[in-house]
């Protein structure tokens, strides 16, 4: 047990910090072109696709180094790269399960953000129960005819390609009739409608597919192997954001402390109020524990202990913490925490959701964390069943099967 | 001893529900988000005609002379509808005028409020995040003709549509309450957009704003206890509104849990969801007890009325936040979308949680009473 | 809506208070004989069996008046009557479902505590799932032969009689083969073994029945009607303790406040610490809400609105509150809260469990509240299903049926 | 960067588990409840022979020179066994002597501790409920031959079996630490029975208790920083023990949930129980991270070592209480019985929560560091 960073990682961190300090603040990063340009710059510096094998254009770095990059970006509030889902999940899926042709065709352009990718998994009636998805892909020989609706698609409006789960065998058991295929988003049969969240912005979309066409050559793995593929290859960005996330919490904590110095009650700054102090102290303890836990995850990844189902603990832990954390912040800040446009320095924060905003934005976003990518309820099911080995639930769909 | 509503009260509640279901639909609320005033004059006139604005005002001044229980019933329904408008600030300000005003002031304002011809609000909070009335920093200086007021009042609800502002300010005699025309010289109003787009808060800057000598509400130096009483009353009203928001969220969550299926069964048949809903109901029921006990205690001038007001605000603030938040969780993704109406109530409850004294203020108020 | 007590109730409270002040402090109430004598005195004053009809020796009082008596007893710390389970639940069951002979034989002696009663329901393998009980009562014509084991029996060692649920038809569906019969506890076939709780005392027992004999004439209702009887008649003491319970919390609160005045930190009494104040304020708010809720229940009872399944909300509410409440107290009191024998006045409290003791006792007892008489999980199931109308759980025993 | 245990560490942990499973069974713990000393001399000698007592002491004084990580490993296992005895107070007091003692003091005490011939403890807490070292009220007055100490030290762990007490007292030079013989004149020891019958706390009254001139541990007035460091170290050790208790409760709850059937299925297949167990595991895993990060930071003299110690104690105190409490709930009635062993660990975790600085103390310590 030695939690000191290695000399190599320390040097790497210094290098990353220096690079970011030089490069991050130059010019706006708002329009799609600007974001693509920034992404490309990050890529060329070796800070995107860090875990990808070199043969596919990646950098063959360690999870720790990847986490260091994200951590330093969080510290500086540097804009994130674009195409995160592609590089984190879809690219690795293609590398593991794709054909040589697919790798040739898609990987490099994904890394460089020349083409933006989205994920077409969830449906209005298939959320926690993803395997009950209804979108159909009819086998037409050289292509599939796709009909159905997807939801919670990130980057929908800017996506060039999507990775799609669709039902190719309606008669098989629900997990068995699903295939995974790449779908060109820029075709008449695909309509993307932005979906607004309660924060007021639209980071997600609904995607409607009406006789959309997916090529046979874009089938990933075998026909009806889609569920298996979706379950097994979602792991290449594990821990990437673990340190950066906590750093973002810490940055927000400093802003909260600043606020409690400026806001006053009973004739003195809030920060001198023992009741406020006790709650801040508790929040910071939890925040630090998230950091220690992040190091533990990175250490496990380094030792090639795949965290597997235990990553459900991590997700449950930080999303539930984040909810308590921003709830506390809003409780302390009173009406100042509810502003949707910042007027003071302490009101303008990085929400760790990719959407900058105020405390209110962060508070609202924190409600999403325990829902997306497997709700807290689903995570607890997984932990109970796969980590603790508790007996399976008695469930209606299992009785039918 | 009877904790149930009288048939008149139940009737009032039902008719309020009916009216709001029809006239303050979620779509109505959404329309007003983009309105610069944020409220509808038609709606205002309608609720005046229903007698809601004068509900608790004395009959002599055009009111119905009913109490806080009836007012809370209405406010609960308004919370349930995420009603957008200055109802509660106006009624509370009118109560201030009723309690402390000179006869001329009552004549000027109370009938106008009852008929829907005037809106009003109280500027409780100063620059500091301190709800104690005595913490006001705005100062009034005596001039030949009256006074000038200087300071900054923050987060004043619906000040931009008010015909009169009640502004507490420090004078050499102590804390004093002034009736101020929001359109007068020396006042600058700046809207403060908050999470709940149907709650309008306004920063009011007073820069040597002149007010007339007869603009005092009550005697000089006597505003402290009055403001404390108004804050308590305001708190009970806010608690009622939060209760309504929580009830709505609970109803939506339960309704959704009954029909939404995952894994081949309604999600409400999973213990994770059903137990969450049960806990939400518990919080809603306890909140009901807290709100109506406090409202009754104010009406009955019960000896624990002040305690009960703080209990209601502190308890319901936490409970409503929890219930509304859990409703999002029960819904999953759909509950997080702008198009789905849940966030109207979630945000309303959250907005009210920090008004009329936040949890810290009322918990301290409770303890001062019970641990002397 | 009028929460003022009626003039009659106010007068009654004064009368009760006066009576208790005169009578409660006279002599020890520790031995069984002393407890029976005190019970008898309470009964004769009209403070026991208050809701029983006069024809059965009761007093025909209102739930509010009953609550007032318990409230005043709590205020004074007066010892409770004995035989609570008998008078609250078993007597009413006999009144509703019993034969004339049973009423003649048992009711008066129960009221006067001449005979003490216990309840023989739970079994080691039938707790939450009471209907799966295994104790058998074989029909022998004029009597039943009883074999099996019961657990969590209050007053076991002092009980003369018990009300027993036992299986009389092993072939019927589990709810259908159960009968309810009265069992004489003073017979060779019945062995009572005290069961110690984590507080160190033994308020419960295990009861072993080996060829014990229950008379046919002691069958309550019809054969195999036991489940139905157990479900429907448990309601005569509803709300009885509702006010007294909160008063006990309030008495404890005052002791806690006294403790925070005596104990010091940072050179000043704990009570001046804002962090302590905030937590105490929150606890008191919850305590008061329990009081309002109690009034609401009593009001509903008065208006003959049977609270029904809604009483699950009450039970869930106060037991979970009590857990948080004593947890908070121990957090504030630090090691002073852990003492098992009191040294200072603020350390000696009424635990509201019937067992006097220290904060530690109260804290430990509070863990039982969310388990006994239907755990919090069971209450939430009931609330979800019967109050909110949520669809039934998919459950293994239902699939079989 | 490696958060996993080395193979030596893992070996130590396994052998500790093996030893305690065999020699400190629940039945052993129960036997000692009624023992006036509350501990077993045989057991003490055995753990001395295993090298546990000298584990972290310098090799020059008969120890193994290992660190806080290894000590925490042992303490976790001890918490898991609800080990009864003065292990941690003794080792912590020995650390104090190692850190601040004169060579003669080290020679006198350290080898004796390592061989199991001496027990020791530190009297952190004064009459006040104030864990800050400077809050000590006990006073030392200089006499011709040395000092006399007067005051009352409360809740001193295992003082009744200690061969030496470390007593902080105020002198004209400031807070000073004294080595005191508990059997000396002027001392009265009164056992304080607490919930966890395997945790022995003792009130120590000093009434002009004479101590020799050479009984100072470290220089006069220099005890403050040393005591603060010991309190932090003590806190990390206590956190490790609470983690062990929580792990044991979790294991018992999960084991029970797998086999206990109600309604025709194992209770662990109900979401209410399985989700509770998942939350308990989350708390245990986070506690693990907190304990071992803090232990490593102390060994590595990391710049955040002081922060991490407070984080560990504050976090694990809450987490262990929650986990052990929920384990009772998962068990239902059986978990509330004296005969079932769950309460051994539940009470141990609770007892440690308020020692070596309670949550309030450490949360304030955290905030002082991060919000300067």
């Amino acid at each position: 047990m030695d939690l000191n960073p290695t000399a190599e990682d320390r040097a790497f961190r210094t290098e990353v910090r220096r690079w970011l300090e030089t490069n991050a603040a130059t010019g706006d990063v708002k329009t799609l072109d600007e974001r693509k340009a920034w992404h490309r710059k990050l890529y060329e510096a070796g800070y995107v696709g860090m875990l990808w094998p070199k043969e596919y254009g990646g950098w063959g770095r360690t999870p720790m180094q990847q986490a260091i990059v994200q951590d330093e970006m969080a510290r500086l509030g540097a804009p994130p790269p674009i195409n995160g889902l592609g590089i984190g999940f879809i690219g690795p899926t293609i590398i593991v399960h794709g054909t040589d042709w697919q790798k040739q065709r898609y990987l490099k352009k994904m890394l460089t953000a020349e083409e933006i990718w989205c994920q077409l998994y969830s449906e209005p009636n298939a959320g926690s129960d993803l395997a009950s998805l209804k979108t159909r892909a009819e086998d037409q020989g050289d292509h599939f005819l796709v009909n159905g609706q997807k939801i919670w698609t990130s980057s929908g409006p800017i996506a060039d390609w999507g990775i799609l789960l669709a039902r190719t065998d309606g008669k098989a058991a629900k997990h068995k009739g699903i295939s995974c295929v790449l779908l060109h988003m820029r075709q008449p049969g695909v309509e993307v409608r932005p979906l607004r969240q309660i924060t007021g912005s639209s980071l997600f979309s609904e995607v409607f597919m009406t006789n959309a066409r997916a090529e046979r050559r874009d089938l990933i793995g075998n026909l009806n192997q889609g569920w298996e593929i979706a379950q097994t290859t979602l792991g290449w960005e594990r821990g990437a954001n673990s340190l950066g996330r906590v750093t973002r919490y810490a940055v927000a904590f400093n802003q909260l402390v600043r606020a409690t110095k400026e806001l006053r009650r009973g004739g003195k700054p809030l920060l001198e109020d023992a009741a406020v102090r006790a709650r801040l102290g508790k929040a910071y303890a939890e925040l630090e524990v998230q950091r220690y836990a992040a190091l533990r995850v990175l250490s496990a990844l380094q030792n090639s202990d795949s965290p597997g189902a235990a990553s459900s603990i991590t997700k449950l832990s930080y999303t539930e913490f984040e909810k308590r954390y921003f709830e506390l912040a809003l409780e302390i800040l009173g009406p100042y925490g509810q502003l949707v446009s910042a007027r003071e320095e302490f009101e303008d924060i990085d929400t760790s959701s990719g959407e900058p905003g105020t405390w209110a934005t962060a508070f609202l976003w924190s409600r999403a964390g325990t829902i997306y990518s497997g709700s807290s309820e689903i995570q607890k099911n997984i932990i109970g069943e796969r980590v603790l080995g508790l007996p399976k639930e008695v469930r209606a769909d299992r009785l039918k099967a | 001893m009877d904790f149930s509503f009288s048939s008149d009260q139940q009737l009032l509640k039902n008719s309020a529900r009916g009216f709001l279901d029809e006239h303050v639909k979620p779509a109505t609320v959404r329309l007003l988000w983009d309105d610069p005033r944020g409220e509808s004059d038609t709606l205002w006139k309608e609720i005046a005609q229903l007698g809601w604005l004068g509900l608790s005002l004395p009959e002599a001044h055009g009111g119905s002379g009913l109490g806080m229980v009836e007012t809370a019933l209405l406010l609960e329904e308004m919370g349930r509808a995420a009603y957008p408008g200055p109802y509660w600030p106006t009624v509370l300000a009118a109560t201030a005028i009723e309690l402390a005003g000179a006869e001329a002031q009552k004549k000027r304002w109370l009938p106008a409020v009852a008929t829907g011809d005037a809106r009003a609000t109280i500027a409780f909070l100063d620059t500091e995040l301190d709800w104690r009335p005595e913490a006001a920093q705005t100062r009034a200086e005596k001039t030949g003709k009256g006074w000038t007021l200087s300071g900054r009042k923050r987060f004043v609800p619906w000040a931009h549509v008010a015909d009169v502002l009640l502004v507490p300010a420090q004078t050499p005699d102590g804390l004093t309450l002034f009736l101020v025309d929001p359109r007068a010289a020396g006042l600058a109003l700046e809207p403060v957009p908050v999470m709940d787009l149907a709650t309008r808060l306004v920063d009011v800057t007073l820069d040597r704003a002149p007010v007339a000598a007869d603009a005092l509400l009550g005697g000089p130096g006597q505003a402290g206890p009055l403001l404390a009483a108004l804050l308590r009353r305001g708190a009970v009203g806010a608690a009622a509104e939060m209760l309504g928001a929580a009830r709505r969220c609970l109803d939506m969550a339960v309704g959704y849990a009954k029909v939404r299926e995952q894994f081949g069964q309604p999600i409400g048949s999973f213990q994770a969801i059903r137990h969450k809903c049960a806990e939400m109901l518990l919080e809603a029921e306890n909140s009901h007890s807290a709100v109506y006990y406090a409202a009754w205690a104010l009406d009955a001038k019960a000896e624990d009325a002040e305690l009960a007001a703080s209990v209601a605000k502190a308890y319901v603030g936490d409970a409503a936040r929890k219930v509304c938040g859990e409703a999002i969780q029960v819904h999953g993704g759909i509950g997080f979308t702008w198009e789905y109406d849940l966030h109207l109530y979630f945000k309303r409850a959250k907005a009210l949680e920090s008004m009329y004294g936040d949890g810290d203020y009322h918990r301290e108020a409770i303890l001062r009473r019970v641990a002397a």
Side-chain angles (χ1 to χ4, degrees), chain A, chain B:
Chain A
M1 191 169 167
D2 176 9
L3 305 181
N4 279 315
T6 61
E8 197 189 338
D9 285 345
R10 214 188 316 247
F12 181 71
R13 188 182 279 275
T14 310
E15 179 195 313
V16 173
R17 186 172 300 185
R18 230 172 261 151
W19 188 91
L20 284 171
E21 279 166 1
T22 314
N23 292 280
T26 54
D28 269 347
V29 181
K30 280 176 185 157
T31 67
L32 183 57
D33 283 347
E34 285 162 356
R35 291 172 66 201
K36 283 190 173 184
W38 169 240
H39 177 108
R40 175 110 205 165
K41 207 164 168 183
L42 280 170
Y43 171 64
E44 279 159 9
Y47 301 151
V48 158
M50 292 179 69
L51 295 189
W52 287 36
K54 286 186 180 163
E55 53 179 309
Y56 299 116
W59 302 98
R61 291 287 195 169
T62 65
M64 185 66 195
Q65 288 167 336
Q66 185 180 233
I68 286 170
V69 168
Q70 299 241 21
D71 192 29
E72 288 299 323
M73 291 181 72
R75 202 176 304 274
L76 235 78
I82 205 167
N83 223 7
L85 223 48
I87 291 160
F89 303 103
I90 307 170
T93 303
I94 295 175
I95 290 173
V96 173
H97 297 282
T99 63
D100 285 344
W101 184 87
Q102 288 165 347
K103 293 176 192 175
Q104 281 291 331
R105 167 63 189 83
Y106 297 116
L107 292 179
K108 188 64 194 253
K109 288 186 172 178
M110 181 187 283
L111 269 181
T112 57
E114 201 176 320
E115 288 173 345
I116 307 290
W117 285 75
C118 68
Q119 195 183 48
L120 303 164
Y121 280 16
S122 293
E123 296 184 6
N125 290 308
S128 290
D129 182 15
L130 182 59
S132 70
L133 59 85
K134 290 206 167 53
T135 294
R136 280 169 300 113
E138 281 168 62
D139 193 341
Q140 306 279 317
D142 66 336
H143 71 281
F144 298 92
L145 203 60
V146 183
N147 282 283
Q149 184 192 347
K150 294 290 175 177
I151 197 168
W152 313 124
T153 306
S154 306
S155 306
I158 60 168
D160 303 291
W161 287 90
I163 187 166
L164 172 78
L165 285 184
R167 194 160 298 285
T168 36
D169 181 350
K171 286 170 195 144
K174 68 179 186 176
H175 299 85
K176 308 274 183 188
I178 295 169
S179 295
C180 181
V181 63
L182 309 179
L183 181 77
H184 191 45
M185 298 291 287
R186 312 289 188 190
Q187 59 169 306
V190 175
E191 190 199 347
V192 176
R193 289 189 209 152
L195 188 63
R196 224 167 157 193
Q197 315 91 248
I198 61 175
T199 57
S201 54
S202 304
L203 297 197
F204 301 115
S205 303
E206 291 178 292
V207 176
F208 296 84
M209 290 150 298
T210 316
N211 292 331
R213 182 184 166 108
E215 302 302 326
R216 182 91 199 185
R217 65 171 182 231
D218 286 330
L219 179 69
I220 302 286
N222 296 324
L223 201 66
N224 298 325
Q225 199 198 350
W227 182 255
E228 196 184 315
I229 289 168
Q231 290 292 297
T232 52
T233 61
L234 304 180
W236 279 30
E237 292 273 306
R238 285 264 151 81
N241 196 22
S242 55
L243 292 179
R245 182 187 304 124
V246 182
T247 294
R248 257 181 237 107
Y249 297 147
V251 169
F253 188 86
N254 290 336
Q255 278 167 286
L256 188 55
V257 167
R258 194 188 312 152
T260 59
K261 285 176 182 167
E262 292 184 24
L263 299 173
R264 299 167 69 84
R265 190 163 70 193
K268 57 185 187 184
L270 271 186
L271 185 58
E272 289 174 23
D273 183 311
V276 171
R277 293 181 73 78
R279 280 177 286 177
L280 286 177
K282 186 167 157 60
Y284 200 84
E286 291 191 47
L287 188 160
E288 277 294 285
V289 171
Q290 297 297 329
R291 192 166 73 81
Y292 310 153
L295 289 175
R296 199 162 154 221
V297 166
L298 288 167
S299 160
L301 288 169
Q302 199 134 292
N303 295 339
S304 303
D305 297 342
S306 162
S311 67
S312 285
I313 299 177
T314 308
K315 200 245 167 185
L316 182 64
S317 179
Y318 79 76
T319 55
E320 293 289 344
F321 163 70
E322 190 172 316
K323 219 155 69 173
R324 287 193 301 278
Y325 183 51
F326 288 113
E327 209 162 278
L328 170 71
L330 259 71
E331 210 179 308
I332 289 176
L333 294 170
Y336 291 89
Q338 308 222 359
L339 306 176
V340 288
S341 64
R343 303 178 305 172
E344 317 264 358
E345 213 185 338
F346 65 78
E347 292 163 1
D348 189 7
I349 75 155
D350 184 341
T351 68
S352 82
S353 66
E355 184 185 12
T358 62
W359 290 101
T361 331
F363 168 73
L364 292 171
W365 260 120
S366 76
R367 311 295 325 187
T370 56
I371 295 171
Y372 66 63
S373 303
S375 67
S376 287
E377 288 75 25
I378 294 290
Q379 304 302 341
K380 288 180 203 169
N381 271 347
I382 294 172
I383 295 166
E385 211 162 293
R386 298 195 215 155
V387 186
L388 293 173
L390 289 167
K392 274 182 193 276
E393 254 182 284
V394 177
R395 221 170 64 189
D397 62 341
R398 288 185 180 144
L399 299 172
K400 287 172 197 159
Chain B
M1 206 284 298
D2 191 355
F3 214 127
S4 61
F5 297 132
S6 70
S7 53
D8 281 357
Q9 288 165 341
Q10 193 57 53
L11 209 64
L12 176 66
K13 191 170 160 65
N14 295 349
S15 82
R17 170 83 55 103
F19 175 81
L20 292 164
D21 275 353
E22 195 176 328
H23 293 89
V24 188
K25 293 190 207 307
T28 326
V29 177
R30 287 170 182 271
L31 266 179
L32 289 168
W33 283 345
D34 298 324
D35 187 281
R37 288 176 59 90
E39 58 135 6
S40 145
D41 197 52
T42 318
L43 179 61
W44 190 253
K45 285 287 154 50
E46 280 170 338
I47 66 174
Q49 271 166 21
L50 288 168
W52 293 5
L53 285 162
L55 193 81
S56 62
L57 296 179
E59 294 179 42
H61 292 106
S64 310
L66 292 174
M68 191 61 206
V69 170
E70 287 78 9
T71 307
L73 283 173
L74 285 188
L75 284 166
E76 180 183 345
E77 291 305 318
M78 288 176 163
R80 206 181 185 285
Y83 156 83
Y87 176 79
W88 188 224
T90 297
V91 170
L92 196 61
T95 301
I97 295 169
E98 183 205 333
L99 290 173
E103 202 49 36
Q105 291 168 328
K106 292 187 196 178
K107 279 202 176 132
R108 164 68 190 90
W109 291 111
L110 301 189
V113 163
T115 54
D117 291 317
R119 294 164 176 83
T121 190
I122 306 176
F124 281 110
L125 202 63
D126 249 275
T127 305
E128 300 208 347
L129 194 57
D130 194 334
W131 285 96
R132 295 168 312 140
E134 64 268 30
Q137 293 177 311
T138 297
R139 318 214 131 260
E141 282 177 40
K142 197 132 201 178
T143 63
K145 289 181 267 179
W147 303 78
T148 61
L149 269 54
S150 293
R152 191 161 184 210
K153 292 290 178 182
R154 282 204 145 166
F155 307 111
V156 185
W158 298 92
H160 63 302
V161 298
D163 299 290
V164 60
L165 300 181
L166 277 59
V167 180
Q170 302 288 358
T171 71
D173 291 320
L175 193 63
T176 305
L177 197 51
F178 294 87
L179 296 174
V180 178
D181 176 358
R183 276 162 293 270
L187 267 79
L189 273 60
E190 187 198 351
V192 186
V194 289
M195 223 163 61
D196 176 20
L197 297 177
T199 290
R200 298 297 171 100
L201 302 179
V202 180
D203 278 359
V204 179
T205 308
L206 302 111
D207 183 10
R208 281 158 296 163
V211 295
D214 64 354
L216 262 66
L217 188 67
Q222 289 174 11
L226 174 63
L227 282 163
L230 292 168
L231 197 58
R232 277 195 295 273
R233 197 176 184 82
V236 175
E241 236 183 295
M242 290 190 285
L243 167 62
R247 286 274 189 209
R248 179 70 161 250
C249 288
L250 172 61
D251 289 353
M252 291 176 77
V254 170
Y256 189 76
K258 286 180 184 173
V259 299
R260 167 77 172 176
E261 296 203 356
Q262 292 283 274
F263 306 108
Q265 58 188 96
I267 60 169
S269 61
F270 289 110
Q271 285 188 343
I273 300 296
R274 104 205 263 99
H275 287 192
K276 215 184 273 297
C277 290
E279 289 161 14
M280 290 159 72
L281 179 65
L282 163 66
E283 293 298 342
E285 292 299 332
N286 277 348
S287 295
H288 177 103
S289 301
V291 164
Y292 290 102
Y293 186 94
W296 168 81
L298 282 176
D299 287 343
K301 297 185 175 43
E303 67 183 83
D304 62 348
E306 304 186 352
L307 175 66
S310 284
V311 166
K313 184 61 169 52
Y315 187 91
V316 182
D318 287 344
R321 183 184 67 237
K322 184 180 163 185
V323 171
C324 300
E326 292 289 46
I328 296 182
Q329 188 68 23
V330 168
H331 276 84
I334 186 80
F336 196 69
T337 60
W338 187 263
E339 299 312 323
Y340 201 75
D341 295 322
L342 203 54
H343 67 116
L344 276 60
Y345 318 105
F346 173 78
K347 290 171 178 172
R348 172 61 53 89
K350 187 67 205 168
L352 289 165
E353 188 191 329
S354 54
M355 301 304 284
Y356 304 107
D358 55 16
D360 279 344
Y361 173 84
H362 286 290
R363 284 188 282 268
E364 172 60 26
I366 291 166
L367 204 67
R368 264 204 321 276
R369 279 174 204 288
V370 299

